[in-house]
Amino acid sequence: MKQGVIRASLLHFQDGKEQTDVWAHVIHCLDTVRQALICNFDDTRMYTNDKVAWGTGQEHECKDFNGIMEWASSHKAYLK
């Protein structure tokens, strides 16, 4: 089973190996993750009791990403 494109690309970079996926594919995958994070933003802290399974079984509440960006901007948080 092939590992994820982003993970493979990072591991190849770390190990100084030639990339197996074209740059456009890696960027596409990163943008998909970016969009998913924006569309499903959740600022709930993840906890663990066993130091392994972070947030397992934890309930999350989606937030308004634009509202959070406005709050961050009004509080002088660095936004790019």
Side-chain angles (χ1 to χ4, degrees):
M1 177 168 159
K2 184 177 179 188
Q3 60 185 326
V5 171
I6 298 169
R7 185 174 191 278
S9 181
L10 289 171
L11 290 174
H12 290 153
F13 176 77
Q14 179 185 24
D15 295 340
K17 295 180 180 176
E18 185 175 338
Q19 297 292 315
T20 56
D21 289 288
V22 296
W23 183 244
H25 191 181
V26 176
I27 293 300
H28 162 77
C29 292
L30 284 170
D31 191 55
T32 300
V33 171
R34 180 190 66 81
Q35 289 179 42
L37 289 171
I38 289 172
C39 294
N40 300 292
F41 188 78
D42 178 6
D43 64 350
T44 306
R45 292 184 196 174
M46 291 176 30
Y47 61 87
T48 183
N49 292 326
D50 58 11
K51 307 262 191 252
V52 176
W54 290 90
T56 301
Q58 183 176 357
E59 290 189 27
H60 295 269
E61 180 181 337
C62 294
K63 307 292 190 284
D64 172 23
F65 183 78
N66 290 329
I68 290 171
M69 293 296 283
E70 289 175 15
W71 178 90
S73 179
S74 70
H75 287 80
K76 308 292 186 215
Y78 176 75
L79 299 173
K80 206 170 195 185

